[in-house]
């Protein structure tokens, strides 16, 4: 695996570029930022939820994006591993494969 930080940075740059060319995407990104900000649930909890959904839906880019954001929001390795386990409960065997990839990415983030 290459650098997960670089993969997230590249994806964020691509999304920002796309949003600049498509007003509807720019509006959607505003909704995302609002939904993921502190409210009844804190940002860390929301990012852990998004990570688990990314695993269950098998979205590799979502996994890296929300893993990075969860770490930035202060999630511990134990919290992330537990989140991945819940994702596997909801997503079964296919989610286990993606949770394993997310766990490998977690280790790679730690190594950077």
């Amino acid at each position: 695996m290459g650098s997960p930080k670089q993969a997230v940075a590249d994806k964020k740059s691509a999304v920002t570029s796309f949003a600049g060319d498509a007003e509807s995407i720019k509006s959607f990104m505003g909704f995302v930022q609002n939904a993921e900000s502190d409210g009844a649930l804190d940002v860390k909890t929301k990012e852990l939820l998004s990570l688990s959904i990314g695993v269950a839906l098998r979205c590799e880019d979502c996994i890296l994006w929300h893993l990075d954001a969860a770490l930035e929001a202060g999630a511990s390795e134990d919290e992330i591993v537990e989140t991945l386990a819940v994702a596997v409960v909801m997503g079964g065997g296919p989610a286990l494969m993606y949770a394993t990839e997310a766990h490998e990415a977690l280790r790679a983030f730690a190594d950077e």
Side-chain angles (χ1 to χ4, degrees):
M1 165 185 287
S3 166
K5 281 274 189 203
Q6 189 58 53
V8 170
D10 291 347
K11 184 56 65 175
K12 286 182 178 182
S13 177
V15 168
T16 300
S17 177
F18 182 31
D21 290 341
E23 189 62 33
S24 59
I25 300 301
K26 188 175 184 178
S27 294
F28 175 75
M29 294 308 296
F31 166 72
V32 169
Q33 288 176 331
N34 184 284
E36 291 180 340
S37 65
D38 275 327
L41 298 174
D42 63 11
V43 171
K44 179 176 78 170
T45 301
K46 290 179 179 186
E47 289 301 340
L48 291 170
L49 286 165
S50 294
L51 173 60
S52 69
I53 292 166
V55 169
L57 292 178
R58 301 175 213 130
C59 175
E60 292 179 22
D61 288 335
C62 300
I63 291 167
L64 283 179
W65 187 296
H66 293 291
L67 176 57
D68 181 55
L71 289 166
E72 289 292 321
S76 69
E77 182 174 339
D78 287 343
E79 289 171 320
I80 291 169
V81 169
E82 198 165 309
T83 295
L84 297 175
V86 171
V88 171
V89 167
M90 298 306 295
L96 175 59
M97 298 302 109
Y98 282 84
T100 300
E101 288 184 25
H103 188 256
E104 290 173 357
L106 175 62
R107 300 293 175 157
F109 272 111
D111 290 342
E112 287 190 354

